[in-house]
Amino acid sequence: MVKLVVNGREQELGDVDPQTPLLWALRDELGLVGTKFGCGIAQCGACTVHVDGRPTRSCVTPVGAIDGAKVTTIEGLAGEDGALTPLQQAWIDEDVAQCGYCQAGQLMAASALLADNPSPSDEDIDNAMSGNLCRCATYKRIRKAIHIAAKGNGQ
Amino acid sequence: MTTRTSWAHNPAAKKLMEEIEARRALPAVVRGASRRQFFKMTGLAGAGLVIGMAGACSKQNGAVAASDGPAADFNPYVQITPAGVIRIFAKNPEIGQGVKTSLPMIVAEELDAKWEDVEVVQSEIDESRYGPQFAGGSLSTPMNWDRLRQAGAIAKAMLIAAAAAEWDVAASECSARDSAVHHEASDKSLSYGALAEAAAKGPVPAADAVKLKDRSDYRLLGKRITGVDNEAIVTGKPLFGIDQTVPGMVYATYVKCPAVGGRPATVNIEEVKARPGVIDVFTIDGDGDPLSVMPGVAIVAKSTWAAFAARRALNVEWDESDASKDSTSASDEAAMTRATQAPDSTVESFGDVEAALSGAAKTIEASYAYAFVSHAQLEPENTLAHYKEDGALEIWSPTQTPQGAVDLAAKVAGVEPEKVTLHQTRIGGGFGRRLMNDYVAEAVAITKRVGKPVKLQWTREDDMQHDFYRPGGYHFFKGGLDGDGRLAAWRNHFVTFSGDGESPITAGDIGKGVFPGELAGNYKVERSLLDWNTPSGWWRAPSSCTIAFATQCFAHELAIAAGRDHKEFLLEIMGEPRWLKEGDPGVMNTGRAAAVINLACEKAAWGRMMPKGAGLGLAFYFSHQGHFAEVAEVSVSDDKAVTVHKVWVAADIGPVINMSGAENQCEGSVMDGLSTMMGLEVNFENGRALETNFDRYPIMRMRHAPEVDVHFIQSDFPPTGAGEPALPPLAPAVANAIFAATGDRVRQLPLSRSGYRFA
Ligand code: FES
Ligand code: FES
């Protein structure tokens, strides 16, 4: 039986087939529907979560391959007390979203970027974020929100 | 099988289009009707007290007192609680165009509500209370502008009346501001919360008896207001159709023939049933209507993944005797042949184009073509539907036409529409795809069969194989210039597709009033039809999104041939400022057109010297009642790598409701236009779409996103929508800039067909 630590809580994935992509285990088994399905073939980034801190395409990651891993999803991005991260706050204030469907994946990719590189350049951002499609094309605001959050971090 | 000649011949879609067209004219009709009649019509009369709330609440700027009592109900759009929470109902589907925020802002403005006190609630679907509810045609703003202002103003008048009664003063001595009524003479104030219960019991004034605010008194409209769902979005709340769950639900995938019209002949049902987690597998005959349920195989399972995994073991042999055999390569060839033949019909004609062409000092000819594309909204189609024992049907669905979805669901389930409850969810992109409700119909067919709540989930491949595609098309132009280099004649032979041999496929027509129309003096649009089977549909700024490319590039070609500056050439065509059809906001105003052309050029410093390999390109287009001009600055390398540095957008959509939302729409439209023109196409062979996921459908990524600089001329004309009209000018502006940079005239989309790519 596969076990994961999801957003700080241990989860046992009962009779879930180890081949099941993390995306669908999160959504259908654990009820964490913030992580989105876009393509299923690692092309769009809508399903991005952190696995042991690394941004990961959950649609192509079988749960059996990450047994015991620490997984963070969009639901676990804010603090325990619900305090939003500077990144989430910047996303709200800059009014980034249009439809909003890609934004969980964007935020997970962006937060992994800032963890690695607290003051990224435009080019760093483009490199880190180009695996994430936004069909509504909110790219300009995503970039700006990342810069604002990076500044807010005191970097 | 019916006598339909093609799966693309779609009377129902045609009807939907007619309805939308008819509704497009609604604001004018409403203005004509007496306001009292209008409020009767829209059910905006009942007031009273309501207890309990339906629908998902969103956004809570102000804190709600835990002890808050029942809300007073002013009309379908406004409720106020004793603690002063002002609930405003958002009537239309939110697909990313921002109406869940902007429409309530209109109510709040007239109500003089403090935005911090407002809680936006997605409304139920009820035509008798809300009138038409849909997201299409950039119509949410123009169709609801009067209705929503009146809803706010009427509630405010009732609050003022209640305060005046309380103080025993004349209502005319009272004013409202920041969610409270004030009496200046006695320096008294009462909050809306304190007044709500008494106010809602008072008489409802007639709509024509309340005064709407002057624009100069607006406190909220035109500001930057952030989306009401923003916090829920960034914390991953279950907002979207795909996120909906109910206890006891099962999951389904539905497999149809990749060529529309194919039917399952043999299916290894037992084998798939034996797969882990599978509950049932069965074929559905459907009603043979691509807008409803086409034949296929349903796999019902305990989870989405169990259904998808079982699908891999599915073997279907399709009977394709009635299926589409559409082929892009064959139609490309056929179009070239049609170009040399007499057109099927004339769409619109002014003057004598043939005489003007033979008398012209100079003529040029050019042919343009563009591909079919997919909507590719990021949330694949899905619907949660529950057919209950008592014949009631409950549905959660991301649809742009929820009222149509209710009717369709009722038809598929064989129940009365009154038995259907549809919950509007947030929608992960629309772009026109979800004007069609085929996925709703499929979910209903499956839940009816299994008698449990069923979540139907399409894969991305389902989505791109069973889209209602934006039609491709071909234009064969001949234009004439007089001895002074002025436009003297314009002929456009448009080759498009038809399912019935008589009329164009959905969104494949050119219609009247296309640029330059009567402004050319001598003008003719002719049309020829190629056979086509695959369903098509409206895609962001339907028909304008492609026709703008062809016409605005050809206009540039004529300017170049005349040795004229493109901007001057366009302004000369516009001539005197005037509405081309007085009283019809659906037809261009040349003065507004000239103003946006001038503004875009001014902001871009049009006419400046550009380095080698760089260029500026201009285009104008009028669509969805919006006047838009765009200038693109590009550079192109020797091996055709294109960088779009910046795009200047000048827009006149009247007063802007929400500046943040309007800018976001313009930026998104520009980038959507660029993404689509650079590399997106869906080609068909043997009736099958060849591009079925993002690996072969390269939507633009962040690194290629240009800077976008948006400027609004906030004219005094009534406000109109922003979701679509910024898109059409982008492709011609960029193609014209590529010409300016390289001398290469690209006459085909996507640009990748001509060897171009993003740098
Ligand atoms: S759904 Fe995983 S990358 Fe698209
Ligand atoms: S906001 Fe719609 S896909 Fe990104």
Side-chain angles (χ1 to χ4, degrees):
Chain A
M1 184 176 57
V2 176
K3 286 186 193 164
L4 297 172
V5 179
V6 181
N7 300 332
R9 282 179 47 192
E10 260 191 53
Q11 300 279 4
E12 299 187 345
L13 289 176
D15 57 354
V16 171
D17 175 359
Q19 286 306 310
T20 305
L22 176 59
L23 168 68
W24 296 110
L26 290 169
R27 292 184 58 86
D28 292 351
E29 307 301 328
L30 302 178
L32 294 170
V33 296
T35 304
K36 295 295 191 268
F37 169 53
C39 66
I41 58 166
Q43 289 288 315
C44 74
C47 64
T48 306
V49 299
H50 298 170
V51 174
D52 292 330
R54 306 305 311 157
T56 301
R57 305 284 178 252
S58 64
C59 68
V60 292
T61 305
V63 289
I66 56 163
D67 194 7
K70 282 202 184 95
V71 176
T72 306
T73 70
I74 186 73
E75 290 92 343
L77 197 56
E80 294 263 293
D81 55 351
L84 299 179
T85 61
L87 206 53
Q88 286 167 306
Q89 195 58 51
W91 240 252
I92 293 173
D93 297 343
E94 290 306 305
D95 203 20
V96 171
Q98 285 185 32
C99 81
Y101 192 77
C102 71
Q103 302 296 349
Q106 306 280 4
L107 277 158
M108 297 315 286
S111 62
L113 163 67
L114 289 186
D116 265 7
N117 178 356
S119 52
S121 64
D122 273 351
E123 205 188 327
D124 296 335
I125 295 175
D126 285 358
N127 287 336
M129 300 301 293
S130 276
N132 289 70
L133 286 178
C134 176
R135 173 65 181 87
C136 305
T138 60
Y139 297 125
K140 199 181 140 175
R141 292 187 181 195
I142 291 173
R143 213 191 265 148
K144 186 167 175 208
I146 294 174
H147 280 306
I148 288 174
K151 278 209 196 87
N153 280 342
Q155 305 301 327
Chain B
M1 193 57 39
T2 63
T3 54
R4 95 162 51 234
T5 52
S6 158
W7 301 105
H9 170 54
N10 217 324
K14 217 171 152 193
K15 200 172 149 261
L16 176 63
M17 166 110 96
E18 282 163 9
E19 271 173 31
I20 289 181
E21 287 297 331
R23 286 165 180 181
R24 196 188 292 277
L26 194 67
V29 173
V30 166
R31 255 178 258 122
S34 89
R35 301 242 154 138
R36 190 186 300 271
Q37 256 175 346
F38 164 60
F39 270 80
K40 226 186 243 160
M41 248 155 56
T42 55
L44 228 168
L49 273 183
V50 288
I51 300 176
M53 283 286 321
C57 297
S58 159
K59 163 174 176 292
Q60 191 74 72
N61 285 333
V64 195
S67 60
D68 206 353
D73 193 13
F74 287 80
N75 56 51
Y77 300 96
V78 179
Q79 293 180 354
I80 303 176
T81 73
V85 176
I86 298 169
R87 281 191 195 122
I88 300 185
F89 290 77
K91 59 175 279 192
N92 277 358
E94 174 59 67
I95 56 176
Q97 84 283 44
V99 295
K100 194 172 172 183
T101 305
S102 61
L103 295 186
M105 283 173 68
I106 298 172
V107 179
E109 178 68 67
E110 288 293 342
L111 182 57
D112 276 305
K114 236 196 289 174
W115 186 245
E116 291 68 29
D117 298 336
V118 171
E119 171 185 280
V120 172
V121 182
Q122 186 82 57
S123 85
E124 62 187 336
I125 299 303
D126 186 348
E127 186 151 15
S128 69
R129 283 162 63 79
Y130 293 104
Q133 294 174 280
F134 69 96
S138 289
L139 287 168
S140 283
T141 302
M143 280 183 55
N144 292 294
W145 174 238
D146 287 345
R147 181 194 307 266
L148 295 180
R149 283 189 301 160
Q150 286 162 1
I154 286 174
K156 181 172 73 179
M158 292 163 74
L159 289 155
I160 290 177
E166 172 75 26
W167 297 324
D168 199 17
V169 299
S172 58
E173 292 171 23
C174 302
S175 62
R177 183 166 183 155
D178 293 341
S179 312
V181 180
H182 310 280
H183 184 247
E184 217 176 304
S186 62
D187 197 24
K188 281 187 200 143
S189 286
L190 275 170
S191 73
Y192 283 1
L195 289 166
E197 186 177 347
K201 286 183 192 143
V204 181
D208 53 6
V210 293
K211 188 174 159 352
L212 298 178
K213 289 168 80 168
D214 286 335
R215 203 176 145 193
S216 54
D217 293 331
Y218 286 167
R219 297 192 184 99
L220 184 61
L221 296 190
K223 290 225 169 84
R224 283 174 192 281
I225 300 296
T226 56
V228 295
D229 280 340
N230 282 4
E231 181 163 349
I233 288 169
V234 304
T235 52
K237 295 290 182 307
L239 290 171
F240 296 91
I242 199 174
D243 302 339
Q244 305 309 306
T245 55
V246 290
M249 74 184 215
V250 294
Y251 300 79
T253 182
Y254 189 57
V255 185
K256 289 172 286 189
C257 180
V260 61
R263 281 169 288 171
T266 60
V267 188
N268 59 339
I269 287 186
E270 293 311 317
E271 211 178 317
V272 181
K273 264 191 191 166
R275 305 295 301 179
V278 173
I279 296 167
D280 203 358
V281 182
F282 48 87
T283 58
I284 294 178
D285 289 339
D287 49 21
D289 182 350
L291 285 171
S292 179
V293 185
M294 291 298 278
V297 184
I299 301 172
V300 180
K302 287 183 187 152
S303 70
T304 313
W305 180 249
F308 284 1
R311 182 175 173 158
R312 293 181 180 168
L314 180 72
N315 272 315
V316 187
E317 207 177 293
W318 300 103
D319 168 1
E320 295 193 37
S321 47
D322 285 322
S324 166
K325 305 283 184 292
D326 285 342
S327 156
T328 303
S329 53
S331 33
D332 283 352
E333 239 172 78
M336 294 309 138
T337 309
R338 292 312 303 268
T340 64
Q341 299 167 341
D344 289 343
S345 61
T346 297
V347 177
E348 190 173 31
S349 171
F350 296 100
D352 185 343
V353 85
E354 303 305 336
L357 282 170
S358 39
K362 193 170 188 182
T363 61
I364 63 167
E365 290 183 70
S367 54
Y368 283 79
Y370 39 82
F372 281 71
V373 300
S374 177
H375 294 84
Q377 75 295 333
L378 198 56
E379 179 190 17
E381 304 303 11
N382 61 77
T383 289
L384 170 57
H386 187 193
Y387 182 79
K388 300 171 187 175
E389 269 170 24
D390 60 357
L393 192 54
E394 192 167 6
I395 297 170
W396 294 257
S397 183
T399 164
Q400 291 180 244
T401 51
Q403 291 169 343
V406 167
D407 292 344
L408 178 63
K411 195 171 129 218
V412 171
V415 301
E416 291 302 314
E418 294 69 44
K419 299 285 269 182
V420 182
T421 306
L422 186 143
H423 305 281
Q424 300 200 66
T425 67
R426 197 176 172 89
I427 300 176
F431 309 104
R433 172 60 181 87
R434 299 189 216 261
L435 293 165
M436 319 305 200
N437 289 309
D438 45 330
Y439 50 98
V440 180
E442 291 173 3
V444 169
I446 299 171
T447 179
K448 176 138 196 210
R449 164 95 177 229
V450 304
K452 286 190 182 122
V454 173
K455 161 81 81 62
L456 171 68
Q457 181 61 57
W458 285 25
T459 61
R460 173 58 53 192
E461 288 78 7
D462 291 335
D463 212 286
M464 290 188 65
Q465 275 176 1
H466 303 289
D467 200 350
F468 292 82
Y469 305 90
R470 181 198 81 181
Y474 314 85
H475 296 258
F476 301 93
F477 290 107
K478 187 165 185 183
L481 298 160
D482 69 14
D484 296 326
R486 283 190 301 246
L487 178 60
W490 177 294
R491 190 177 73 196
N492 177 2
H493 178 192
F494 176 49
V495 178
T496 182
F497 299 89
S498 173
D500 62 1
E502 286 169 16
S503 52
I505 56 175
T506 304
D509 203 357
I510 188 163
K512 295 190 200 298
V514 165
F515 180 92
E518 64 188 275
L519 297 174
N522 299 292
Y523 172 87
K524 186 151 77 170
V525 175
E526 302 165 317
R527 194 180 70 195
S528 295
L529 302 172
L530 305 175
D531 289 338
W532 192 254
N533 257 288
T534 306
S536 61
W538 304 287
W539 186 100
R540 199 175 203 168
S543 76
S544 302
C545 61
T546 46
I547 291 171
F549 163 68
T551 58
Q552 300 306 306
C553 285
F554 188 60
H556 185 219
E557 289 202 60
L558 283 163
I560 299 286
R564 308 271 307 277
D565 172 71
H566 188 195
K567 174 188 152 195
E568 296 308 324
F569 189 70
L570 277 183
L571 291 174
E572 180 182 271
I573 291 173
M574 294 302 165
E576 286 304 301
R578 67 206 185 277
W579 286 103
L580 290 186
K581 208 168 154 199
E582 198 60 54
D584 184 349
V587 181
M588 176 169 80
N589 178 309
T590 55
R592 296 175 82 180
V596 293
I597 291 168
N598 277 319
L599 180 61
C601 288
E602 178 202 319
K603 294 295 175 186
W606 179 256
R608 67 188 139 110
M609 286 295 293
M610 300 296 288
K612 191 176 166 293
L616 294 177
L618 166 67
F620 163 82
Y621 214 68
F622 169 80
S623 73
H624 296 85
Q625 308 183 29
H627 296 76
F628 278 76
E630 291 169 16
V631 174
E633 178 174 348
V634 310
S635 52
V636 185
S637 74
D638 289 343
D639 64 346
K640 297 190 163 183
V642 178
T643 305
V644 179
H645 302 281
K646 188 163 178 175
V647 177
W648 291 265
V649 179
D652 181 353
I653 51 171
V656 169
I657 308 285
N658 181 357
M659 187 54 80
S660 177
E663 280 182 2
N664 216 350
Q665 290 306 306
C666 291
E667 289 164 12
S669 295
V670 160
M671 297 201 201
D672 191 358
L674 179 58
S675 172
T676 307
M677 81 178 295
M678 184 58 78
L680 301 188
E681 56 186 313
V682 177
N683 295 290
F684 298 85
E685 291 306 334
N686 198 24
R688 288 154 164 77
L690 302 181
E691 293 79 11
T692 63
N693 205 327
F694 298 141
D695 52 344
R696 300 190 66 178
Y697 197 73
I699 291 171
M700 188 178 77
R701 293 172 189 271
M702 182 184 282
R703 69 169 82 251
H704 301 128
E707 201 181 319
V708 183
D709 189 11
V710 184
H711 299 270
F712 293 101
I713 295 176
Q714 298 208 42
S715 62
D716 274 322
F717 297 103
T720 55
E724 299 178 270
L727 185 133
L730 186 279
V734 169
N736 291 341
I738 289 175
F739 176 84
T742 65
D744 183 24
R745 175 60 65 184
V746 192
R747 299 191 182 88
Q748 236 193 110
L749 294 184
L751 298 178
S752 54
R753 283 187 177 177
S754 308
Y756 287 93
R757 59 191 163 79
F758 282 119

